[in-house]
Amino acid sequence: MRTTLWPQAFRIRVTRALALLTVILSALAAPAHADRLDLIQKRGSLIVGVKSDYPPFGMLDADGKLVGFEADLAHDIAEKMGLALDLRSVTSANRLQKLEDGAVDLIVATLGDTQQRRQIATLIEPNYYASGVNILTRKDSGITQWSDLRGRKVCATQGALYNKAMAQRYLLDLQVFNGTRDTKLALRDGRCVGYMYDDTSIANDLLQPEWQDYGMPLASAMISPWAIAIARAEKGGRLETMLGNIVADWHRSGRLIALEAKAKLPPSDFLAKANTLWNAKEVDGQPVCQRLPSGAWPVQCRNKALLSSTDVGGLYGLSLMIREKTGFNITLLHDHYDQRLFLTGLLTTLEMVLVCIVGSVAIGFAGAALMRVRNPVVRGLTVTIATFARMTPPLLQIYVVFFGIGSYVVTRYGWSFDGFVVAAAALSLYAGASNAFSIATALKLAAPTHGGNPRHYRTEVFRLAYVPVMAASVNVVKATGMASTIAVPELIYASTGILAEQGNADVMINLLMLVYFLIVLAVVRLFSLAERRIMGSAVPVGSDGAIEAEGQKS
Amino acid sequence: MSFDAILHTLVTWTPYLAEGFVWNILVSLVSMIVGTVIGGGLALLRLSPRRILVRFSLGVTEVCRNIPTFVFLFYLAYIIPVEIVYDGGVFSFPAWLKAALALSVAVVGFVSDNLSVALREWRAGHVMSALLFIPNWTSYLLIIIMASSTASVIGVGEIVSRCNTVIAAVGNNDLMLWIYLYAMLWFFLFSFPLTVLMNTIKARMQKRAV
């Protein structure tokens, strides 16, 4: 029989010491205070802090009682816990302090969920509501998306956190005023097209008769979810779990949507999406959002803005780690929605490139043919159209067809134009007009040289027309981005959309520039390849050719 | 909307739109000047006896030629901050200047290519061929003026963006077509005579150059 190295008695002593250490450590980890839930249950009532100055979320009614959306939520919590409710008024300045003091058990007080706040309080997941930025504008303003505001004067109130970010993301011309009253007056006086502010506050303004001609037409941006909060020390405790389950139930049952409607708030996108998410089932019938063994919710049910690289693995984790280390937010690495948007943009741009090159060359040949017919009227008309098309900006041509003729047609025949078709047609016409002149010139110059050999003639025409046609094609490729101005979902549209949502202008705009540059480069290379194939010669393309053509455009 | 009413609206807003067109010309001129200075430098380098300088110049020219200015416009709009704090002072970086810089990239490519040809002709004693650069430069200015309309997408108050302002102010959708056509006419009436003039000058110079 082998004897152990350590005597039996010693081993027992070590085990005992370890057990003691574990107890001490766990006591330190969960500070030595009574569980708040015990205290609440002993007291028999739940003390909830809500706002009194933020209608319709928290306000005082005629009897001085605290009412509103968040007060309703507090009633619901107390009822589910079988407790009496004691509502207290808190303000933005003191709400977290009151939690820390223990003056209130929890707050439901328009508290935005941020990383910093998670350091000083325990924020309940899931979030129960979300606010964002929106604009108050006249109902007849014609504004339907944020990009409609690019470069326009937009009124804002000094000190609002999102002013700078929004101005950058949507290139707004912000007119900043002191206080909400001044800003609203400025909007009234027509000094700006809209007033940018919290959507929740605008929703309340819209209930007032003085704003009946106004609306909130955009999808809210910079969505900031709100969280119920309890004291920091309650992290990981029973109260946190209980409240989390209550909020999850609210999302599943549609209770939040019902209370939102009761508060006369416009239906929020956030609640609709949360309702779908929390009712979603896996293929095996299990709910997608149920607590993991660790007690946490699955990643897809949590606030994505607050995840860190330790919460997730794979590409998502890598992408978050890059953001934490370098500040670059490469959402394209993990966000499927952004990926699809960008890929659609890329394909649309490539499609536009192809259609425009083929279209402009076809128009060029057709135009050149028409310029050489006997009939002087046809000839004159072709030259006039081609000249006009070349001497007016393609952007205006797109606007004339899409908005100008488009609005005529839609009001009279109810038929609306497709943006892609309009942009492709206008750009093809613009480049095709210059092609028509170059091809016509080439046909004229090559005519005396062919000596009856049609093959020689064709090569000669090709040689003469090649450089200007290639230059026009490269130019039209560069101009395809103009389609974004009429909301064709191409690369620029997709990129500016993603950066507006994610706030990663540095990443997206550099990527956009790079991808576009590569597309242009590829087109140039393909042209020189085609030239070598057809001409059988290795005429160096690029250096002076493209610009000679620019000169010829004059 | 009757014809008279449309005409009346167009006349009323003409001074406002004309002021916008001045911005188109200003943006274009600034971009031509910036582009000519840089492109001129590149053209000189291309004639340098040192191969590395020639290569560098050709490389930069190639990049400038292939950068899509419309995308570059967005690039500068998002990348350059609206205000720059330097040496204690706050300098604003207006949108029109960003537009001019974006367009100047195309000018750099054009000038580098065309001026290097002209300089070669000049040094070979073909003065008239070298001077062809001037009508070519003017014609390119017209191309840039067309392109300056894209500055509207980053909020420069040039003629196209003023068209949009007028449409919003008048609040009549039927007017859209006419106001855009009217703006087109401005561009056409500005560039058509200049183009004809430049072509005539060019043809004469080419005849004398032979």
Side-chain angles (χ1 to χ4, degrees):
Chain A
M1 190 187 158
R2 274 186 66 190
T3 46
T4 47
L5 213 57
W6 290 345
Q8 183 82 16
F10 183 69
R11 265 201 292 163
I12 289 170
R13 230 187 295 163
V14 169
T15 318
R16 240 189 248 154
L18 277 178
L20 191 65
L21 195 66
T22 317
V23 171
I24 292 170
L25 279 179
S26 58
L28 281 176
H33 66 89
D35 190 324
R36 184 90 190 182
L37 192 56
D38 286 334
L39 177 73
I40 294 167
Q41 276 160 348
K42 250 176 236 157
R43 190 200 300 135
S45 70
L46 184 69
I47 308 172
V48 181
V50 294
K51 283 203 161 174
S52 59
D53 60 351
Y54 207 102
F57 294 91
M59 56 207 170
L60 295 167
D61 70 1
D63 308 330
K65 232 172 65 192
L66 284 162
V67 292
F69 178 71
E70 292 181 328
D72 288 343
L73 295 181
H75 279 289
D76 235 37
I77 297 171
E79 194 181 311
K80 284 194 173 177
M81 291 170 74
L83 297 162
L85 178 68
D86 181 358
L87 281 178
R88 304 270 170 90
S89 157
V90 294
T91 66
S92 294
N94 70 16
R95 56 193 170 185
L96 292 175
Q97 187 53 44
K98 291 209 166 183
L99 263 188
E100 193 60 25
D101 299 347
V104 294
D105 296 321
L106 61 108
I107 54 169
V108 192
T110 69
L111 181 78
D113 190 353
T114 67
Q115 206 70 60
Q116 291 92 316
R117 285 180 179 148
R118 286 191 180 197
Q119 310 298 320
I120 48 180
T122 303
L123 270 56
I124 305 295
E125 291 190 70
N127 301 111
Y128 67 94
Y129 202 71
S131 68
V133 191
N134 212 313
I135 63 155
L136 178 65
T137 183
R138 292 193 66 88
K139 280 179 182 158
D140 56 8
S141 68
I143 289 162
T144 56
Q145 49 186 356
W146 284 98
S147 55
D148 292 343
L149 290 169
R150 197 184 285 143
R152 307 277 293 272
K153 286 189 166 59
V154 174
C155 289
T157 301
Q158 205 155 39
L161 286 173
Y162 39 73
N163 280 356
K164 193 177 161 199
M166 290 300 286
Q168 276 175 347
R169 290 181 191 191
Y170 295 101
L171 304 176
L172 309 175
D173 181 6
L174 277 195
Q175 313 286 307
V176 182
F177 296 88
N178 210 343
T180 55
R181 195 190 56 94
D182 286 4
T183 324
K184 285 178 186 170
L185 278 177
L187 174 65
R188 267 288 165 80
D189 299 346
R191 285 203 262 171
C192 46
V193 287
Y195 169 35
M196 183 173 80
Y197 205 57
D198 288 348
D199 53 1
T200 50
S201 171
I202 294 177
N204 190 51
D205 287 338
L206 288 175
L207 299 176
Q208 317 303 319
E210 57 172 322
W211 295 104
Q212 59 178 347
D213 294 335
Y214 288 74
M216 187 164 63
L218 304 180
S220 293
M222 297 191 74
I223 302 295
S224 159
W226 295 357
I228 294 175
I230 54 178
R232 183 176 47 160
E234 298 300 316
K235 181 93 201 143
R238 287 188 298 151
L239 186 58
E240 186 191 5
T241 312
M242 189 180 263
L243 289 170
N245 290 344
I246 289 175
V247 179
D249 277 344
W250 283 342
H251 281 307
R252 292 192 189 106
S253 65
R255 177 78 180 140
L256 286 165
I257 295 174
L259 287 177
E260 179 188 45
K262 184 189 161 208
K264 294 204 180 71
L265 285 160
S268 82
D269 197 36
F270 173 82
L271 287 186
K273 278 186 181 152
N275 182 249
T276 313
L277 175 68
W278 286 85
N279 283 308
K281 296 257 187 333
E282 300 280 11
V283 266
D284 59 4
Q286 291 291 312
V288 172
C289 297
Q290 57 177 341
R291 287 193 189 271
L292 302 171
S294 66
W297 299 107
V299 168
Q300 64 265 41
C301 307
R302 298 177 63 188
N303 179 354
K304 297 200 171 43
L306 298 170
L307 291 179
S308 74
S309 56
T310 51
D311 290 326
V312 284
L315 271 181
Y316 200 166
L318 177 71
S319 157
L320 290 182
M321 193 144 72
I322 294 173
R323 190 178 73 192
E324 284 153 22
K325 293 260 156 64
T326 65
F328 292 123
N329 185 9
I330 313 175
T331 56
L332 280 184
L333 273 183
H334 66 260
D335 192 309
H336 297 299
Y337 182 78
D338 286 3
Q339 282 168 355
R340 209 171 48 232
L341 206 61
F342 195 79
L343 201 66
T344 310
L346 181 62
L347 291 178
T348 309
T349 293
L350 291 177
E351 204 180 330
M352 182 74 81
V353 162
L354 195 70
V355 171
C356 285
I357 291 179
V358 172
S360 62
V361 172
I363 289 176
F365 275 106
L370 287 176
M371 283 179 193
R372 290 167 62 81
V373 295
R374 287 257 168 74
N375 187 336
V377 179
V378 175
R379 235 167 37 212
L381 205 63
T382 312
V383 172
T384 310
I385 292 174
T387 309
F388 196 77
R390 239 172 19 147
M391 287 182 199
T392 51
L395 186 65
L396 267 176
Q397 295 173 7
I398 292 176
Y399 284 177
V400 161
V401 180
F402 191 74
F403 295 119
I405 301 177
S407 82
Y408 255 86
V409 171
V410 83
T411 48
R412 281 164 189 70
Y413 308 102
W415 187 60
S416 62
F417 287 172
D418 180 64
F420 184 93
V421 174
V422 170
L427 291 170
S428 300
L429 184 69
Y430 179 71
S434 99
N435 283 342
F437 284 108
S438 341
I439 295 170
T441 312
L443 287 172
K444 202 163 81 188
L445 290 176
T449 63
H450 66 99
N453 180 346
R455 197 167 155 204
H456 184 198
Y457 179 63
R458 273 206 301 274
T459 318
E460 188 61 16
V461 170
F462 183 85
R463 195 184 65 78
L464 288 167
Y466 175 76
V467 169
V469 168
M470 171 189 144
S473 299
V474 172
N475 280 340
V476 81
V477 170
K478 289 185 192 170
T480 46
M482 285 181 199
S484 63
T485 57
I486 53 169
V488 176
E490 47 70 75
L491 264 182
I492 298 183
Y493 189 82
S495 306
T496 50
I498 294 172
L499 77 86
E501 201 56 49
Q502 308 278 8
N504 54 353
D506 45 0
V507 172
M508 289 314 299
I509 210 77
N510 275 297
L511 185 68
L512 169 70
M513 195 70 229
L514 181 71
V515 172
Y516 237 105
F517 183 76
L518 291 178
I519 292 175
V520 176
L521 212 60
V523 170
V524 172
R525 292 279 177 265
L526 281 177
F527 262 93
S528 60
L529 211 70
E531 187 197 26
R532 249 175 262 155
R533 266 282 172 82
I534 297 172
M535 309 269 297
S537 68
V539 180
V541 175
S543 61
D544 290 337
I547 298 306
E548 262 170 46
E550 287 283 15
Q552 282 181 25
K553 266 182 131 188
S554 53
Chain B
M1 212 175 180
S2 73
F3 182 73
D4 275 358
I6 290 167
L7 205 65
H8 181 75
T9 315
L10 291 183
V11 170
T12 312
W13 290 96
T14 294
Y16 180 72
L17 294 175
E19 204 179 299
F21 198 68
V22 172
W23 277 103
N24 287 80
I25 294 172
L26 182 77
V27 166
S28 308
L29 279 178
V30 170
S31 87
M32 284 304 279
I33 291 167
V34 173
T36 304
V37 170
I38 300 174
L42 289 175
L44 281 175
L45 287 181
R46 272 165 86 161
L47 301 180
S48 151
R50 294 186 58 184
R51 260 196 85 72
I52 184 155
L53 292 181
V54 177
R55 279 201 152 174
F56 166 78
S57 172
L58 280 175
V60 175
T61 307
E62 167 107 36
V63 169
C64 288
R65 222 187 274 134
N66 290 340
I67 284 180
T69 46
F70 188 74
V71 184
F72 198 54
L73 196 65
F74 277 94
Y75 188 83
L76 293 187
Y78 281 108
I79 292 295
I80 304 180
V82 181
E83 283 168 333
I84 296 168
V85 181
Y86 175 76
D87 202 18
V90 177
F91 300 90
S92 64
F93 208 107
W96 70 265
L97 193 55
K98 292 180 185 177
L101 287 183
L103 293 175
S104 72
V105 172
V107 184
V108 169
F110 164 81
V111 171
S112 167
D113 286 330
N114 266 36
L115 194 59
S116 60
V117 173
L119 285 173
R120 243 179 246 132
E121 297 279 355
W122 182 273
R123 288 181 186 177
H126 305 147
V127 176
M128 204 42 86
S129 299
L131 287 181
L132 272 177
F133 177 70
I134 295 168
N136 283 346
W137 188 91
T138 315
S139 302
Y140 203 79
L141 168 66
L142 293 180
I143 292 176
I144 292 296
I145 287 179
M146 299 295 154
S148 68
S149 61
T150 57
S152 60
V153 303
I154 60 164
V156 180
E158 49 70 73
I159 191 166
V160 178
S161 79
R162 284 181 187 223
C163 284
N164 295 334
T165 310
V166 171
I167 290 162
V170 177
N172 184 325
N173 282 345
D174 283 355
L175 190 70
M176 261 198 268
L177 177 62
W178 302 110
I179 212 121
Y180 286 135
L181 282 175
Y182 183 56
M184 262 180 155
L185 199 65
W186 273 80
F187 281 96
F188 184 77
L189 290 182
F190 185 84
S191 37
F192 186 68
L194 259 176
T195 306
V196 171
L197 183 69
M198 283 306 129
N199 283 351
T200 317
I201 292 176
K202 219 170 128 180
R204 285 212 185 141
M205 287 169 83
Q206 265 162 343
K207 222 178 258 170
R208 281 174 60 186
V210 173

